[in-house]
Amino acid sequence: MNGAQGTNRWVQSPFVIAWIILVLVIAFHSPRWWLLLQPNDDTIEWNRATIYLQQCLDPWRDDLTAAVRWRFVPQVFVWSIGGGAALALTLPWFGAVALIGYLYHLIKRQSNDSLKTVCATVVLAASGPVLVSTGWLGVNDTWFALALCYLAFGSNRAGLAAACLLGTFIDERFIFGLPLALWLRAMSSPAADLKGTLQTAVKLSLAALIPFLLSRLLGATLADRNTAPDSAFLLSSLKQSGAYLWCAPLGAWMALRFACLPAAESWLAAFLVQKRSALILLAVTVIPVALGFLLASDTMRTAGIALPICVWGTCRLVAQKSRTYWIGLAAASLLIPAAHVTFNKIIPINSLPIELLRLF
């Protein structure tokens, strides 16, 4: 009896379920395996991977593109344990498992229905951070998305500190996602009035920005790291934004897909009760994403910083909505085609059977 209970507990663990959900998502939204086998910098699959692998060999080199100069946590990890290209390129997949497992854990706390919990997690897992991290080599969006979600909903102080410290140096999009994550956290605090929530959000923001601000200050002074390439890169991105902004709405949809529906419904319910708080929530969601669109052409990746509001909406509704609702959303998330959106390119994502046929 004890053995059976132990096996059942193991099967129902977030780690195992996360792998099952990831495999399910990949079955319907597969990477283009035939392109992953041969390096080609002209594809989205390898566009970042070549530089990422160079960083894994020497995380401290400063002669690479400005887009990755401050992104080195995964690279330092691979380098410190002597890992090779295989570990470096599978690390984003482990991030996907960690993110999905944590989302399952959060949703399970709000629901005692296993089917609804799994379906709701599938809806969130079929979003941009997971699709990008499994479809593009060397992109660790799931790790900074996990950091943002933990900042919004986590409770362990050491975990919160680690999220702020590590997330900052995984991808700068983490900084753009801070206002939303910390406002969601402040909304859940005991403070009942808007003033108290604002004060909590400001204090949290100042604390969370310390690693970012210190790194830029120390990098420009003690390390004598030239900041001119960073400024030039941002200015160049801003000038080029007109060429791809028409794709931004589609990039936003592909980043969040059907996970944005519970978020929209939950926001509307919150607006009817606390208008000003809900309007601030809308502002800290939309404004950072819009600014990110101007500074980075990977609009699908940028909109992924809004994942915490989708998690918030899902957790609020998972117990209220019927099984049919969540089964329908999960089915739509898997069956309705998705696409990668970067710059002005729209690349359809095929199912696993189709990609295996193309491979063999």
Side-chain angles (χ1 to χ4, degrees):
M1 185 68 176
N2 290 336
Q5 290 177 344
T7 301
N8 188 53
R9 189 181 301 112
W10 181 82
V11 171
Q12 293 182 356
S13 71
F15 177 77
V16 174
I17 291 178
W19 273 110
I20 295 173
I21 291 175
L22 178 60
V23 169
L24 185 62
V25 170
I26 294 301
F28 289 89
H29 306 297
S30 173
R32 298 192 292 179
W33 302 102
W34 59 285
L35 288 175
L36 300 185
L37 297 180
Q38 296 294 331
N40 185 348
D41 291 345
D42 292 331
T43 64
I44 62 168
E45 284 80 7
W46 283 95
N47 183 257
R48 289 282 186 223
T50 303
I51 295 176
Y52 172 68
L53 291 175
Q54 291 175 346
Q55 285 182 293
C56 288
L57 294 174
D58 181 7
W60 315 116
R61 60 185 300 174
D62 198 31
D63 60 339
L64 300 173
T65 175
V68 300
R69 295 178 78 223
W70 298 94
R71 304 175 188 176
F72 47 74
V73 166
Q75 295 88 324
V76 169
F77 172 75
V78 174
W79 169 78
S80 65
I81 65 173
L87 174 61
L89 296 179
T90 54
L91 198 59
W93 285 67
F94 290 114
V97 173
L99 175 62
I100 295 170
Y102 183 61
L103 298 179
Y104 175 81
H105 166 72
L106 290 175
I107 297 170
K108 189 177 181 181
R109 293 193 307 189
Q110 308 299 324
S111 171
N112 57 3
D113 188 317
S114 298
L115 180 59
K116 289 200 295 184
T117 302
V118 170
C119 288
T121 308
V122 167
V123 175
L124 294 171
S127 60
V130 173
L131 297 181
V132 168
S133 294
T134 55
W136 306 16
L137 295 175
V139 175
N140 286 281
D141 286 10
T142 46
W143 286 113
F144 84 73
L146 174 61
L148 287 174
C149 289
Y150 196 84
L151 276 182
F153 310 108
S155 57
N156 183 276
R157 290 188 177 182
L160 295 172
C164 292
L165 180 60
L166 301 179
T168 300
F169 303 113
I170 296 175
D171 195 294
E172 291 86 346
R173 288 176 176 83
F174 173 83
I175 300 299
F176 285 81
L178 277 179
L180 170 59
L182 295 179
W183 182 251
L184 288 172
R185 186 171 193 84
M187 286 174 59
S188 65
S189 69
D193 60 332
L194 180 63
K195 181 179 179 181
T197 305
L198 282 169
Q199 290 175 343
T200 301
V202 170
K203 292 177 183 177
L204 292 171
S205 298
L206 292 175
L209 284 171
I210 289 175
F212 173 79
L213 297 175
L214 280 179
S215 67
R216 296 311 192 268
L217 178 63
L218 294 176
T221 55
L222 298 181
D224 194 27
R225 180 171 256 200
N226 184 13
T227 58
D230 300 331
S231 302
F233 172 75
L234 293 176
L235 183 59
S236 174
S237 299
L238 187 62
K239 290 179 179 179
Q240 294 178 2
S241 61
Y244 63 79
L245 283 179
W246 64 273
C247 278
L250 182 61
W253 167 253
M254 291 303 171
L256 305 177
R257 304 186 74 236
F258 292 94
C260 68
L261 299 184
E265 184 173 343
S266 294
W267 180 87
L268 182 59
F271 178 76
L272 297 176
V273 178
Q274 294 180 313
K275 288 183 172 59
R276 288 185 294 178
S277 179
L279 288 174
I280 293 174
L281 176 59
L282 181 63
V284 296
T285 302
V286 173
I287 293 176
V289 170
L291 291 175
F293 284 163
L294 294 174
L295 299 176
S297 61
D298 293 335
T299 53
M300 179 181 178
R301 295 182 60 201
T302 297
I305 65 175
L307 182 64
I309 196 173
C310 298
V311 179
W312 170 77
T314 299
C315 288
R316 284 171 61 99
L317 293 183
V318 66
Q320 301 176 22
K321 295 293 186 178
S322 66
R323 281 187 169 187
T324 303
Y325 174 87
W326 292 111
I327 292 173
L329 274 188
S333 300
L334 296 175
L335 295 174
I336 294 181
H340 292 298
V341 181
T342 177
F343 197 66
N344 56 8
K345 298 178 180 178
I346 302 170
I347 304 170
I349 303 175
N350 295 312
S351 65
L352 183 59
I354 292 177
E355 290 301 336
L356 289 179
L357 284 174
R358 299 176 77 179
L359 177 62
F360 297 108

